Amino acid sequence: MTSSTEGVPPKDQDVTMTEPSGVSSPKELRNALYARCASFEEGHVFNQDELFAFEIIPDNSVEKLLAYTKQLAKDGLFKLMTKDGKACWKVVKRADAIKYRSLSQEEALVYSYIEGAAREGIWSKLLRNKTNLHMTTMNRAIKSLENKNMIKAVKIVKYPNRKTYMLAKLQPSENVTGGPFYTDGVLDEEFVHQMSLWTEKYIIGRSWWHPPLPEHKKKSSSKMTQEQAEELRAGELRQRGHGRDRSKTMLPMHPGYRGFPNLSEVTKAINGSGLSGVTMKESEMGQLLDILCWDGRLEKIRHGKAYRAIKQVDGEDGVELGNALTESPCGRCPVFDFCEEGGPVNARSCEYFQEWLQF
Amino acid sequence: MSRHAYELCTLLVDDTYGELTSRIFEVLLCYGRLSLPALQHHTHLSYRLVKHGLSVLVQQHLVLWYTSSDDHLTLYEANTTVAYSLVRSGKYIKIAEAQAGEFAGKVISDLLLLGHARVGDLVQAYGVGQSRSTHDRLAATRGPPSNPLSGLSEGRNEEQSVTLESIYGTLCDLLRTESVSRVHLSHFRSDADNRSEAEKLVPKPEEYKAKSKREQDAQHEAAVKRKLKEWKYCADGEEGEVEDLRKGKKRLHQDSEPRRPDQKRQRLYSPLIQEVVGIPGEVYLPMLGETDYLDSNLILRVNHAKFVVLMRNDHLVDLADRIISTSTARVYAQVLRALEPKVQECREEPEDLNKIDAEADLGSLPQVSTDELVGAIKDSSELFNALGKSDDGRLDMAQFDHPKKRRKKQVISDNGSVVDGEASLDEEEDASDSNDEDNISDVSSDLDEVNGEAEFDPNAMPSFSHNPHRDAIRNHLLVLAMHPLSFLQHLPKTSILPERWTIDFPTLMKNVIHHTLLEIITSRHGLPAARLTRILFDKGKTDEKVLCSTSLLAQKTMRSYLLPLHKAGMIGLQEVPRDNSRNPQRTNFLWFFDPERCKAKMLEETYKTMARCLGRARVEGEKVKGTVEKASRSDVIGKEEKFLGVQELEALNVWREMDERIWGEVSRLDDLVACLRDF
Ligand code: SF4
């Protein structure tokens, strides 16, 4: 179950821990029963036998137990549930109970279902079906609950158009938020982009060999000022740490090379980089790596166990992959489908062609 | 083939052989098979003209014909495959030149122009008595990509000192590499007609001795296939002859071997003479005298299938160069060259239909051993520094050994002694998947095994580690084999066979085509579009919501890529109603990517683009028609400066440049067609 400690006092103070002694009023007994149950961990579900085991109920009488629990439930301190057809109870914190008590019947009903949905949240339509309330009644209840700051509307990544509610104090689960790639239920494209860039560079650096630059680069370095040289060195260091850019000169690794990174290595590296505020899980990194593969920037090798960067990617370093279809005028022609010999659009009078030939 | 392809073919025929032929060709494309009278009716041409045009087209293999033995009616049919390959003439000539020398290019160019030719005629044409006019004509139309004008000037400079021997030598070379092949009657018929002919010739299904009807049918089918194959490769009768030629025995004439009367041989070498022209009784010897003479009545044509194989090889090497490295591509080129004689066609039908799904059966593919490759590559110096190593230099090469051997090593190192049972088991298993051809090398490698230099030492590197030349080559081969496109398949050394390599072309080409399709999608629709397409390919039909969360794209962004893709016909959308109401709200929309459909669409577009390019080229040509005609007059050639005005020269140059540009584009488009359709 979920934790709901915020805003709630850790212990319910107004309960006196009195042992049942002699003849006690039903109220005292009820309080004692509640206090005893509240000392258990939160969310514990008590069945009849457990409650009898506290030896608070006089004579272990079933009628009395039912009467007490009924009253407690009415006060909102106990919650009646059923398990395997038998009745059982859960303790409700006193503070919560007060909240409940301040609610109208409908509000309480709505609240209980929203509470039941916990961190997953509940869709308003589903809520209506379950509560069987009239639309306006329910909406009113939801409004008032929201105003009391007891529930909040959340955005579910999968169904952004569904009105979904959950308790105000809860953090939406990952199913709802969609994991680290989403902020407030909206895809954080910039984050995805930055992460994938870093990952890609990291893998490029580890899956291709970048032969040292040819002579002229070195020569020019001697003429550089101190500053420039340092800058270059820092750049080099940075590169080595993070990975590299693609280049046309990079060469394949030896077939026996074992350094192609796998999923857990990439995950470790990106978490070590401090790029992301949250720690990335392997499954999430797997998703990112899949995306890079689908983009045609990485490929899986060794039967999908390791990743390697693809050497040439369209549109990068100004290289467009030579493609006969797209570089011819007709391949990019907006009226391609209408172009017909003898038709209103034809090759004879085509301006796109004229342009292309002139160029 | 579609309307656009037809349009393209007609344009090509028109460009190469003129209006009469293209008109007939167009009608045949339009109406399908036609008899002569029907053809005459549709073309509105006189009987004489139609006959004339048809004879040219048949000579070029552009029109297929078939006379049914039932009603003796001859039907004509356009041959789009050959018509399309007119666009490749330039490439063919270049390939032939690279393979067998400049003269070979000339032979190919002439054969392309003539469709098919008798050896005797060819020899005569190249001989001393060569007439200027034919020569010019031949050279002038070296295939579209070469400029007619430059062709003419080239033609003038060519010297004529071709000896008879070199002519025969070149022809034999070309025959041996299968760049040219003999002509068979079946080459003039369409596939369907060939099949029905073949079915007539082989015994009926009922005549086979088999248990069930199905088996009978299967045997019948196999017999028909065999017959068709025989025809296709002109291998009816004696296969050995062709084999000899292929293995490089130029000199077929062997005195030591007593010859049977050449009744059969005659049929073999002059099928056309017998069946088409019908000269009976004459005896033709395939080879005469001591040198490499070919029977002068042998009829040759260009073997398109083989040239496509060669084009594919070039394409693959280019691809390896681009996505791996230049050095690796060089090694790959060697592999392809070594395998090339064993590959007759790009899309070879599996011999045995049952084998289709048994893709694991790499052993049956043509193979080449490491040693052969090492021998073929002389200079490996640039291969050495072309591979990177990890910083600590640790390498794991054991993974490339035979799995059984790895196991064996394990066993040995554990026990410290050879386990007999293990070894003999290996041998048995290996023997079963070995090829009988490799008998000779078997023995040597077996010996190796017995001596067991490195094999029995678990710590040592493989025995050839002392040979850096070999290692360098092998490493590049392994890089190729590791690549996800599966450029190469590695067959590790076993106890009786040396290490071998093979290429699983169907798989490789499937990957390459997929790669190409996505490249086009990427450059047309952007990276996210490629991402979405790949997801759809990997996951199959996908709901938009799932697609959205898988692709990590915002819904809006995703839609902005999906819709253009859909509009362009690259991906499809399927509606699955959840109930009978067909209400869009109660309908699931599934996106999907069908590579076949996408490929067909792209081919279509490419054909159309090519047709438009050719159309435009013609328009440009017409603009300067007068000048070009003037410039190609025999008295003007070479003295252009003198006869042509400044403006004319300028226009001519501009036109030439444009023409070259357009043709260059067309040839690149053809590469795409080849990749998507033929490889
Ligand atoms: S010829 Fe011109 S109008 Fe026709 S498809 Fe090509 S570019 Fe477009």
Side-chain angles (χ1 to χ4, degrees), chain A residues 31-289:
Chain A
N31 278 343
L33 185 64
Y34 178 79
R36 190 63 198 269
C37 292
S39 65
F40 275 73
E41 68 175 293
E42 213 185 302
H44 188 87
V45 177
F46 303 89
N47 58 25
Q48 197 175 315
D49 294 337
E50 273 177 275
L51 294 181
F52 283 138
F54 298 151
E55 295 186 334
I56 297 173
I57 318 291
D59 317 327
N60 278 359
S61 130
V62 179
E63 285 102 70
K64 283 222 173 94
L65 177 74
L66 284 182
Y68 294 161
T69 50
K70 207 171 169 188
Q71 185 58 42
L72 278 167
K74 218 172 158 193
D75 292 343
L77 291 168
F78 262 35
K79 207 172 166 188
L80 178 67
M81 307 198 298
T82 47
K83 194 177 173 189
D84 304 334
K86 282 187 198 149
C88 50
W89 296 267
K90 213 170 84 177
V91 176
V92 179
K93 277 189 215 129
R94 209 164 269 271
D96 290 352
I98 290 164
K99 266 190 207 165
Y100 252 117
R101 244 177 286 162
S102 68
L103 299 179
S104 72
Q105 207 183 334
E106 286 89 29
E107 285 170 357
L109 190 65
V110 170
Y111 185 85
S112 68
Y113 278 110
I114 294 179
E115 189 183 28
R119 289 180 61 201
E120 300 298 322
I122 187 165
W123 179 24
S124 56
K125 203 170 165 190
L126 198 67
L127 194 59
R128 203 160 68 91
N129 282 344
K130 286 199 169 177
T131 55
N132 233 341
L133 290 172
H134 193 268
M135 187 75 149
T136 38
T137 332
M138 195 189 75
N139 280 348
R140 205 177 328 124
I142 286 179
K143 263 269 145 53
S144 106
L145 283 171
E146 265 186 305
N147 285 341
K148 286 180 186 148
N149 219 356
M150 292 169 77
I151 61 167
K152 65 180 173 191
V154 286
K155 217 176 201 171
I156 295 197
V157 158
K158 268 199 201 129
Y159 311 101
N161 296 324
R162 293 185 180 181
K163 275 193 174 164
T164 308
Y165 296 94
M166 78 172 59
L167 295 192
K169 59 193 173 188
L170 295 183
Q171 278 295 324
S173 75
E174 254 170 39
N175 275 344
V176 177
T177 59
F181 302 125
Y182 293 84
T183 326
D184 302 331
V186 182
L187 181 78
D188 190 344
E189 291 192 31
E190 186 51 33
F191 179 70
V192 173
H193 181 66
Q194 289 301 333
M195 293 289 273
S196 54
L197 268 191
W198 193 93
T199 312
E200 194 187 349
K201 282 192 178 187
Y202 171 80
I203 296 180
I204 295 172
R206 268 151 195 81
S207 51
W208 291 89
W209 183 46
H210 300 256
L213 292 171
E215 285 301 297
H216 66 94
K217 196 87 186 199
K218 273 185 199 149
K219 259 185 228 153
S220 65
S221 77
S222 62
K223 284 182 210 138
M224 262 190 282
T225 62
Q226 176 88 13
E227 241 168 79
Q228 276 172 323
E230 256 166 34
E231 218 169 85
L232 193 78
R233 214 176 88 85
E236 284 261 315
L237 280 179
R238 226 181 6 249
Q239 285 251 305
R240 207 167 299 153
H242 286 243
R244 283 187 172 261
D245 284 323
R246 271 196 180 79
S247 84
K248 262 178 259 165
T249 51
M250 56 189 195
L251 291 172
M253 283 304 203
H254 194 277
Y257 175 68
R258 314 257 46 201
F260 296 112
N262 60 22
L263 177 58
S264 58
E265 278 164 28
V266 178
T267 314
K268 228 183 269 163
I270 201 148
N271 283 331
S273 75
L275 191 70
S276 151
V278 282
T279 310
M280 300 292 286
K281 294 204 200 88
E282 276 194 14
S283 62
E284 289 152 7
M285 276 320 283
Q287 201 182 353
L288 196 70
L289 288 168

Side-chain angles (χ1 to χ4, degrees), chain A residues 254 294-295 327 336 347 354, chain B residues 388 531 534 608 616 668:
Chain A
H254 194 277
W294 285 324
D295 274 355
E327 69 187 21
F336 184 73
Q354 195 59 40
Chain B
R531 179 194 297 181
R534 283 201 184 91
K608 185 165 175 183
R616 186 67 186 206
R668 284 165 58 71

Side-chain angles (χ1 to χ4, degrees), chain B residues 343-355:
Chain B
V343 184
Q344 285 179 309
E345 249 181 304
C346 281
R347 298 212 167 142
E348 248 164 313
E349 272 183 55
E351 307 232 327
D352 190 346
L353 287 170
N354 307 328
K355 265 191 198 160

Side-chain angles (χ1 to χ4, degrees), chain A residues 157-161 181-182 187 189 192 208-209 250-260 287-288 290-297 299-302 308 310-314 320-332 335-341 345-351 353-354 356-359, chain B residues 3-4 7 321-326 328 385-390 394-397 399-400 474-476 478-479 482-484 516 519-520 522-524 527-528 530-531 534-535 538-539 545 548-555 557 601-602 604-606 608-609 612-613 615-616 619-620 622-623 658 661-662 665 668-669 672:
Chain A
V157 158
K158 268 199 201 129
Y159 311 101
N161 296 324
F181 302 125
Y182 293 84
L187 181 78
E189 291 192 31
V192 173
W208 291 89
W209 183 46
M250 56 189 195
L251 291 172
M253 283 304 203
H254 194 277
Y257 175 68
R258 314 257 46 201
F260 296 112
Q287 201 182 353
L288 196 70
D290 274 347
I291 292 287
L292 282 165
C293 288
W294 285 324
D295 274 355
R297 302 173 151 262
E299 57 195 356
K300 288 181 187 175
I301 52 165
R302 300 201 197 287
R308 175 166 76 184
I310 282 176
K311 186 170 178 179
Q312 209 183 22
V313 167
D314 190 50
E320 282 237 359
L321 291 190
N323 188 309
L325 196 54
T326 43
E327 69 187 21
S328 71
C330 305
R332 289 182 265 113
V335 288
F336 184 73
D337 289 339
F338 310 109
C339 185
E340 216 52 67
E341 199 59 42
V345 183
N346 58 48
R348 197 164 274 276
S349 58
C350 172
E351 284 167 28
F353 238 110
Q354 195 59 40
W356 182 73
L357 283 172
Q358 231 88 99
F359 161 65
Chain B
R3 199 162 50 90
H4 300 304
E7 197 185 329
D321 183 19
R322 264 204 296 142
I323 65 180
I324 304 180
S325 78
T326 311
T328 315
N385 285 321
L387 290 176
K389 289 184 182 156
S390 56
R394 258 189 318 127
L395 296 171
D396 168 24
M397 296 304 282
Q399 54 177 323
F400 302 115
R474 186 166 178 268
N475 286 339
H476 282 279
L478 286 170
V479 167
M482 254 176 56
H483 197 277
T516 314
E519 237 174 48
I520 298 174
T522 314
S523 63
R524 273 194 167 176
L527 210 62
R531 179 194 297 181
R534 283 201 184 91
I535 293 177
D538 276 5
K539 309 236 156 180
K545 293 242 167 57
C548 187
S549 58
T550 322
S551 62
L552 283 185
L553 288 173
Q555 199 175 27
T557 327
K601 179 86 173 89
M602 288 205 185
E604 260 323 287
E605 288 180 11
T606 317
K608 185 165 175 183
T609 308
R612 292 289 168 274
C613 286
R616 186 67 186 206
V619 175
E620 297 296 332
E622 270 162 24
K623 282 189 200 154
M658 281 189 188
R661 216 183 133 132
I662 295 178
E665 187 58 40
R668 284 165 58 71
L669 286 163
L672 187 63

Side-chain angles (χ1 to χ4, degrees), chain B residues 95-111:
Chain B
I95 292 175
E97 273 174 5
Q99 273 221 324
E102 207 170 307
F103 185 66
K106 171 133 188 57
V107 172
I108 292 294
S109 125
D110 292 346
L111 279 178

